[in-house]
Amino acid sequence: MNSEIALFLIQDGLTNGAIYALLALALVLVFAVTRVIFIPQGEFVAYGALTLASLQLGKLPGTAWLLLAAGMAVAIVESVQALRFGAVRRIPAVIFTYIIIPGSLFCLAWWAAPQKPALTLQVLLALLLVVPLGPMVYRLAYQPLANASVLVLLIISVAVHFAMTGLGLVFFGAEGSRTPAFSDAHWKLGVLTISGQSLWVIGTSLALIVALLLFFEHTIYGKALRATAINRVGARLVGVSPAMAGKLSFTLAALIGALSGVLIAPITTIYYDSGFLVGLKGFVGAIVGGLVSYPIAAAGALLVGLLEAYASFWASAYKEVIVFTLIIPVLVWRSLTTHHIEEDEE
Amino acid sequence: MSALLEVRGLCVAYGKVEAVHQAALRVEEGRIVTVIGPNGAGKTTLLAALMGMLPARGSVSYAGKDIARIEPEQRVSRGLCLVPERRELFAAMTVEDNLVLGAFHRYRKSDPTIGADFKQVYQLFPRLQERRRQLAGTLSGGERQMLALGRALMSRPRLLMLDEPSLGLAPLIVRDIFRVIGGLRESGVSILLVEQNARAALQVADYGYVLETGEIAVEGPSADLVSDPRVIESYLGLVSGGAG
């Protein structure tokens, strides 16, 4: 291997690693706030990429229908609950949030798709169609069992993952899609060629990480999410409802997932089931951080990206094996170095 | 005077074991009412149920409205606030962020008077202002209780429920905390105080209930309870009283 290839692999690894880092952060966030191991994270990646691909072909993406149906389902669940608790006044707000808004987004997509708007608008539309699915999935699948054990929540995640993969096949078919790059620019830097798309990926990831940091440090809702992660009972006592925190964390996770999908769609061909492997690599990164530490999770995910790049060069047949084997030494190291921390603050 | 909180026939059960049985109590606006009783009598369970943290049967009316079926978060935004025995602070966040979160429901309504309340809490507990950048988990026991009280005050409660505010604190700090509780009544906050330190509780309260094995055994104005031979024997006598 000469230095040119080594540098190329680093660029490749960092680009993928940036995506994995975003996904790892989302997984840590969702787990900390709701104790859900968010396996369907990858489906949001695939949905984001494939929704954008459909829009570029001028077709109405299947996710628009899904948004409509999921919104309807949530509206029914919420209305039944409101009636049972005698809170009829809540129903108009429910109808607005879960029927009128998804309905308007559906109409917007239906009207805009055939006109093939500019790429930025397409990306925005794809995000608008996919991201609201996050809180809806939380409301339908997780909220009724929010106090169940981590294992039960994991089983729900597996079920949601299979359901979403199946729906992906129905909506997008078995063929893969690749979208055109955001930028065709290339820069020569010594022996290395830097592609505009990798800069887009790394830049957007960094921007999103900084935005998340500001959100958690400086906004009342960010603080509320941190509080829920630290002490659920305390959060309830100051009026932070676990349902609100759950929906908010799932919205962020869906946003991160869909945006990651949009970013990698020009780099690799995405199939309806590609999200799972991408998400799983983010998960390996999150495990390096013990599902609690954001910076270590992000660093772990970058390591996964680099390892994957070098593995695909030296032993491409064993690429996935090598990446996922990383988890064994990490788990051994963690079990040896992590001492049990008392949850009790007193 | 009208009752701010009126509880009738409240039963709370853990599975088949009933921890609170047919409890009835009233808190009038602007008063301090205390519930005393031995360990395991169901005092903490009673407060948790009033906050909506535990499922309960019976009627709970607050400010003239039935609140038995609403969530704890909604009770907070109606001015009900619980400072639990375990404080339940956000240990890995700063003192200031803990206070900010106390006012969470008011930020949601963009209440402009939050800043003034910050000043008030810092005035009440200057120690919290000194340590506002410190993590809550690094505070001493007394400071944690101050922070728990401060966080509760940031929600601007109408009825403040305090569960064993003196538990595990040095006598000097206990005196401070009770002074603050007495002062809150002056500013119009109604207080439901649960205590094992019966002497201190009856000194500050207007009215008292004695809870024994889940049932209200005795009730009356504090002055009467202090001279009730049963109360003196069980809770104020030299053997069990005077501690902590």
Side-chain angles (χ1 to χ4, degrees), chain B residues 133-209:
Chain B
R133 303 249 171 266
Q134 230 172 294
L135 296 185
T138 64
L139 298 181
S140 71
E143 291 164 346
R144 282 182 193 189
Q145 185 57 50
M146 292 176 198
L147 180 55
L149 264 173
R151 186 179 74 178
L153 292 178
M154 289 302 293
S155 76
R156 194 166 283 178
R158 229 177 124 184
L159 174 62
L160 185 60
M161 300 193 286
L162 303 171
D163 194 355
E164 305 269 2
S166 72
L167 189 75
L169 300 184
L172 217 63
I173 298 169
V174 172
R175 224 172 54 202
D176 274 355
I177 298 275
F178 274 98
R179 195 180 302 142
V180 168
I181 293 172
L184 285 176
R185 171 176 41 192
E186 309 309 313
S187 61
V189 182
S190 314
I191 292 168
L192 180 58
L193 170 68
V194 155
E195 259 299 341
Q196 274 195 66
N197 187 344
R199 191 180 299 273
L202 288 173
Q203 241 166 43
V204 73
D206 302 297
Y207 198 87
Y209 295 85

Side-chain angles (χ1 to χ4, degrees), chain B:
Chain B
M1 219 183 262
S2 66
L4 178 60
L5 181 77
E6 174 117 45
V7 180
R8 274 197 224 103
L10 190 80
C11 302
V12 192
Y14 295 100
K16 279 190 179 150
V17 186
E18 208 164 52
V20 172
H21 180 69
Q22 292 289 339
L25 58 89
R26 275 163 73 88
V27 179
E28 287 176 354
E29 189 99 57
R31 294 299 181 89
I32 299 182
V33 172
T34 183
V35 177
I36 57 175
N39 235 341
K43 304 186 300 289
T44 296
T45 306
L46 174 70
L47 287 196
L50 291 179
M51 198 61 214
M53 301 294 280
L54 285 174
R57 286 184 293 119
S59 91
V60 181
S61 103
Y62 167 78
K65 286 195 178 123
D66 177 26
I67 58 162
R69 292 173 78 186
I70 71 173
E71 296 286 310
E73 298 80 31
Q74 288 164 289
R75 297 184 199 215
V76 173
S77 60
R78 292 194 194 180
L80 212 66
C81 188
L82 169 66
V83 178
E85 192 180 334
R86 290 158 47 89
R87 329 297 198 227
E88 307 290 1
L89 298 172
F90 307 119
M93 295 174 84
T94 61
V95 167
E96 192 163 82
D97 279 350
N98 271 270
L99 293 176
V100 165
L101 282 162
F104 179 72
H105 73 95
R106 299 169 63 198
Y107 278 100
R108 293 186 84 171
K109 296 170 200 147
S110 328
D111 185 334
T113 57
I114 295 173
D117 284 5
F118 253 110
K119 267 201 203 116
Q120 215 175 353
V121 167
Y122 282 147
Q123 221 161 38
L124 214 50
F125 305 110
R127 193 71 75 81
L128 294 183
Q129 183 160 25
E130 285 165 33
R131 319 222 152 183
R132 64 184 190 281
R133 303 249 171 266
Q134 230 172 294
L135 296 185
T138 64
L139 298 181
S140 71
E143 291 164 346
R144 282 182 193 189
Q145 185 57 50
M146 292 176 198
L147 180 55
L149 264 173
R151 186 179 74 178
L153 292 178
M154 289 302 293
S155 76
R156 194 166 283 178
R158 229 177 124 184
L159 174 62
L160 185 60
M161 300 193 286
L162 303 171
D163 194 355
E164 305 269 2
S166 72
L167 189 75
L169 300 184
L172 217 63
I173 298 169
V174 172
R175 224 172 54 202
D176 274 355
I177 298 275
F178 274 98
R179 195 180 302 142
V180 168
I181 293 172
L184 285 176
R185 171 176 41 192
E186 309 309 313
S187 61
V189 182
S190 314
I191 292 168
L192 180 58
L193 170 68
V194 155
E195 259 299 341
Q196 274 195 66
N197 187 344
R199 191 180 299 273
L202 288 173
Q203 241 166 43
V204 73
D206 302 297
Y207 198 87
Y209 295 85
V210 178
L211 193 68
E212 279 172 356
T213 56
E215 294 186 57
I216 305 276
V218 187
E219 67 173 281
S222 303
D224 295 1
L225 287 185
V226 175
S227 54
D228 185 320
R230 271 185 68 191
V231 177
I232 294 176
E233 195 193 334
S234 308
Y235 306 107
L236 302 173
L238 287 171
V239 185
S240 56

Side-chain angles (χ1 to χ4, degrees), chain A residues 143-218:
Chain A
Q143 194 177 318
L145 285 164
N147 293 320
S149 68
V150 172
L151 183 64
V152 171
L153 294 171
L154 174 66
I155 293 168
I156 299 175
S157 281
V158 173
V160 172
H161 156 68
F162 279 117
M164 287 186 70
T165 314
L167 287 170
L169 178 60
V170 173
F171 292 141
F172 301 110
E175 303 92 55
S177 309
R178 193 184 267 235
T179 57
F182 291 179
S183 146
D184 296 323
H186 283 85
W187 292 277
K188 278 272 182 203
L189 200 77
V191 286
L192 183 67
T193 311
I194 296 176
S195 75
Q197 186 64 28
S198 349
L199 286 184
W200 260 106
V201 171
I202 294 171
T204 311
S205 304
L206 279 178
L208 200 56
I209 288 171
V210 171
L212 281 174
L213 198 70
L214 293 175
F215 171 73
F216 282 120
E217 287 294 327
H218 295 293

